[in-house]
Amino acid sequence: MFPFKTSLFLDRSCAQPLYVQLSNQIIQLIKDQKLPSKTKLPGTRALSEDLGVHRKTVVACYEELLLQGWVESIPKKGTFVNSNLPDFVPLDFVKEDRSFKNERGFSFYSNEFLNRKIIEQNENVMYVNDGISDTRLTPVNEIARTYRRIANRASIFQHLSYGSTFGNEKLREVLAEYLNTTRGLHITKENVLITRGSQNGIYLSSQLLLKKGDVIVVGKTNYISADLTFLHANAVIERVAVDECGLVMEELERLCKKKSIKAVYVTSHHHHPSTVTMSAERRIHLLNLAKKYGFAILEDDYDYDFNYNHAPILPLASHDTNGNVVYIGSVCKTVAPVFRVGYLIANPEFINEAANLRRIVDRQGDALLELTFADFIQSGELDSHIRKVIKVYKARRDLFCELLSNELSNFFEFEIPKGGMAVWLHLKEPYQWKAVAKTGRKHKLEIGDYERYDSANTNHNCIRVGFASFNEIEIKEFIVRLKLTMRNLEKDV
Ligand SMILES: Cc1ncc(COP(=O)(O)O)c(C=O)c1O
């Protein structure tokens, strides 16, 4: 007879009910073949006495085992380990490890190129970022209040189920109107797919536009995640220079004459990473080329709202009369990255196709959050949040740039960005970011994955340094640490 009494251990301090502990242990004994099929389990009274538990606990355990198919009950005979269980492959005794297996018992396709360095976050360390908002300024209480108010509506239940793969109807309507007013678009809700942020929009579009070998043109410096998304679609990436007016159109035109171009990806408002704004002349040139050569323009307007020297520049999408532009944006930079609400704007056929694709990737968005943002936009709260943070970010930009110029001009040069949340910082000769990153760590300054800004290996020696997420004290501290780092390096030069 199997020694049940000494093989089963119940922990009364554990939150898991006793009958579940018991059934899990019996299952494990069956899997380990210590209880082979057809083994008779003790009667419920006997086992409850052996273990010092209520008989109901053992009855519940046996019912659970029966329900899961591990045991079978034979009337008038008792409970037996199921006779039809297939044999488990015996455990290797050397590695009798009950934790979730770290080894893999199957192969899968890995995308090495998607591997990005993960920087561990430690207290007291300052991290250079790409240009992100200050989450401390997020109107999280207002958003939560709106969310709760919407969730409390009597009619909310319809929104809790499977819904449209295009996104919430109300938000599509509100956004169409909002984008028409603020960005000079001429769209209706049929042109709008609600996404989970801009990156989701870039992914869906690239899957629809690009197949193996198709050519997409990007800047010589470009947003790394966009590059990776295009590579994941097996596209060929061609690069053209970016100067102080944006992508160089003469280079693009030469490419168009040589190759069939499927799409051009632009961050026209503030080029990522160099922050320059595409000039009006280049914008018109690009739209004309798109019309002539029949390519799509993927316009990623990731930080439209942040302009400090002038009104926002209307996107290419607002001048597109030929249906070439796929326009992408989100609230993730404007409000906070955690709110995954964005939009893809294009002709209805493309939008329908994107909604079909979305069904198999993500099914749908978060309708409650989408309704919340519809309300947030309609009530004017989004605009007042933008007005508020623009003032703060402008002051931070000014302070950051002033300190950089006053304290660190021996080492760096840069243009004051007209908008956005980052400075494109050029490290002067003979310094290299690799050494700055290494020495910076000694001063609790983490430069991070600086290599991602030069995927074309042009050695431009620039990185993006975000200023918006640091308050005044933090900006000053950042400059102190950077200065200490550079002083250290100066000694070795
Ligand atoms: C140029 C650019 N596009 C898209 C994104 C992704 O934005 P979202 O958070 O809306 O997906 C980012 C985020 O840093 C970005 O810098």
Side-chain angles (χ1 to χ4, degrees):
M1 177 74 170
F2 183 80
F4 284 94
K5 185 173 176 176
T6 49
S7 304
L8 299 168
F9 305 97
L10 295 176
D11 179 359
R12 286 181 161 71
S13 63
C14 165
Q16 200 175 42
L18 292 179
Y19 84 93
V20 178
Q21 292 186 36
L22 205 51
S23 53
N24 284 347
Q25 289 179 39
I26 294 177
I27 291 168
Q28 195 57 54
L29 291 169
I30 297 173
K31 291 204 289 192
D32 293 349
Q33 295 178 16
K34 290 179 182 152
L35 293 178
S37 71
K38 298 187 190 157
T39 305
K40 186 169 191 230
L41 299 191
T44 50
R45 191 184 310 275
L47 189 56
S48 66
E49 278 167 14
D50 279 354
L51 300 177
V53 293
H54 199 284
R55 188 168 164 216
K56 277 187 187 160
T57 304
V58 181
V59 171
C61 159
Y62 282 13
E63 275 171 3
E64 180 66 30
L65 293 171
L66 206 59
L67 211 66
Q68 292 189 29
W70 293 102
V71 300
E72 52 195 345
S73 165
I74 302 179
K76 298 206 180 102
K77 289 195 172 158
T79 304
F80 297 81
V81 176
N82 192 337
S83 52
N84 293 321
L85 284 180
D87 281 349
F88 277 89
V89 178
L91 271 182
D92 180 343
F93 281 106
V94 187
K95 315 183 242 168
E96 201 177 294
D97 172 11
R98 299 249 180 274
S99 61
F100 191 79
K101 292 284 165 282
N102 287 330
E103 305 96 71
R104 55 188 168 92
F106 54 86
S107 68
F108 58 92
Y109 302 107
S110 87
N111 297 293
E112 270 301 306
F113 63 94
L114 292 182
N115 248 340
R116 293 264 316 270
K117 263 187 217 159
I118 297 182
I119 310 291
E120 242 180 69
Q121 303 276 317
N122 288 312
E123 238 182 290
N124 302 325
V125 175
M126 296 195 90
Y127 294 87
V128 171
N129 67 57
D130 207 28
I132 52 173
S133 55
D134 184 345
T135 50
R136 294 166 295 193
L137 302 177
T138 308
V140 67
N141 291 334
E142 290 83 340
I143 291 170
R145 255 200 310 276
T146 309
Y147 192 97
R148 177 174 300 199
R149 182 165 44 74
I150 285 169
N152 281 338
R153 279 182 196 156
S155 60
I156 196 59
F157 299 103
Q158 56 177 305
H159 297 291
L160 303 183
S161 187
Y162 287 110
S164 166
T165 54
F166 290 86
N168 178 266
E169 201 76 356
K170 174 87 189 291
L171 181 58
R172 291 174 76 204
E173 276 165 18
V174 169
L175 259 177
E177 203 184 315
Y178 182 73
L179 296 175
N180 287 344
T181 315
T182 56
R183 297 172 202 207
L185 305 191
H186 306 283
I187 55 170
T188 65
K189 77 169 196 304
E190 274 66 43
N191 302 102
V192 183
L193 176 87
I194 307 296
T195 62
R196 291 200 197 250
S198 303
Q199 180 55 40
N200 188 207
I202 300 171
Y203 177 78
L204 292 173
S205 315
S206 68
Q207 289 294 313
L208 295 186
L209 289 167
L210 305 167
K211 286 262 181 291
K212 189 167 187 207
D214 283 341
V215 176
I216 180 154
V217 181
V218 305
K220 264 201 180 118
T221 52
N222 193 38
Y223 176 48
I224 182 83
S225 295
D227 281 359
L228 297 179
T229 313
F230 305 143
L231 287 176
H232 191 255
N234 288 311
V236 173
I237 295 183
E238 293 282 351
R239 296 180 189 276
V240 298
V242 182
D243 62 16
E244 64 289 346
C245 296
L247 289 191
V248 174
M249 286 305 127
E250 287 68 31
E251 278 193 29
L252 176 62
E253 192 156 8
R254 274 200 296 278
L255 259 177
C256 291
K257 285 178 186 157
K258 277 204 289 195
K259 299 186 170 194
S260 166
I261 307 292
K262 203 70 206 304
V264 174
Y265 169 80
V266 278
T267 38
S268 45
H269 202 226
H270 301 125
H271 178 74
H272 193 293
S274 73
T275 80
V276 297
T277 302
M278 187 182 269
S279 67
E281 185 265 321
R282 298 262 173 102
R283 284 164 187 259
I284 297 163
H285 201 155
L286 178 57
L287 284 165
N288 287 345
L289 288 177
K291 187 170 177 183
K292 183 167 172 192
Y293 292 99
F295 58 75
I297 300 173
L298 260 189
E299 184 176 27
D300 175 2
D301 210 357
Y302 65 107
D303 67 355
Y304 173 85
D305 295 300
F306 301 116
N307 303 280
Y308 311 122
N309 297 23
H310 52 70
I313 291 168
L314 293 184
L316 285 159
S318 70
H319 307 294
D320 177 28
T321 50
N322 197 52
N324 290 96
V325 179
V326 175
Y327 183 66
I328 292 167
S330 80
V331 305
C332 305
K333 289 274 190 289
T334 316
V335 185
V338 72
F339 298 119
R340 305 308 299 167
V341 176
Y343 40 86
L344 186 65
I345 310 291
N347 62 72
E349 256 181 275
F350 190 84
I351 292 297
N352 283 344
E353 206 57 47
N356 291 342
L357 175 62
R358 195 252 182 93
R359 182 181 292 273
I360 61 162
V361 181
D362 180 38
R363 182 53 181 79
Q364 66 187 64
D366 173 343
L368 288 192
L369 190 64
E370 292 173 9
L371 279 167
T372 302
F373 271 90
D375 193 290
F376 197 62
I377 294 168
Q378 239 181 352
S379 64
E381 282 174 282
L382 177 66
D383 281 336
S384 53
H385 168 70
I386 293 170
R387 280 194 297 275
K388 181 178 141 193
V389 291
I390 278 187
K391 275 193 205 138
V392 177
Y393 293 161
K394 181 178 187 300
R396 290 180 182 181
R397 176 203 65 171
D398 292 345
L399 176 66
F400 189 64
C401 292
E402 187 190 322
L403 291 176
L404 272 176
S405 305
N406 293 349
E407 314 267 338
L408 286 151
S409 57
N410 286 349
F411 308 105
F412 300 105
E413 51 198 12
F414 62 95
E415 293 285 326
I416 298 177
K418 297 189 196 77
M421 296 188 270
V423 171
W424 184 232
L425 198 59
H426 177 237
L427 179 61
K428 290 183 183 175
E429 290 287 331
Y431 302 100
Q432 292 296 318
W433 282 108
K434 189 175 177 185
V436 177
K438 192 169 168 214
T439 309
R441 257 171 237 133
K442 290 186 204 155
H443 301 287
K444 296 201 181 309
L445 183 66
E446 179 59 61
I447 307 287
D449 179 13
Y450 54 87
E451 284 141 333
R452 73 183 187 276
Y453 296 113
D454 193 16
S455 34
N457 293 322
T458 58
N459 288 326
H460 51 58
N461 222 17
C462 300
I463 68 163
R464 257 171 94 93
V465 180
F467 55 79
S469 63
F470 297 133
N471 65 25
E472 191 182 319
I473 295 169
E474 289 159 347
I475 288 175
K476 287 180 180 162
E477 178 60 26
F478 183 91
I479 296 290
V480 166
R481 294 187 194 193
L482 189 54
K483 205 168 157 182
L484 282 169
T485 304
M486 297 315 297
R487 286 264 158 82
N488 249 215
L489 285 170
E490 199 178 22
K491 283 192 222 132
D492 304 332
V493 170

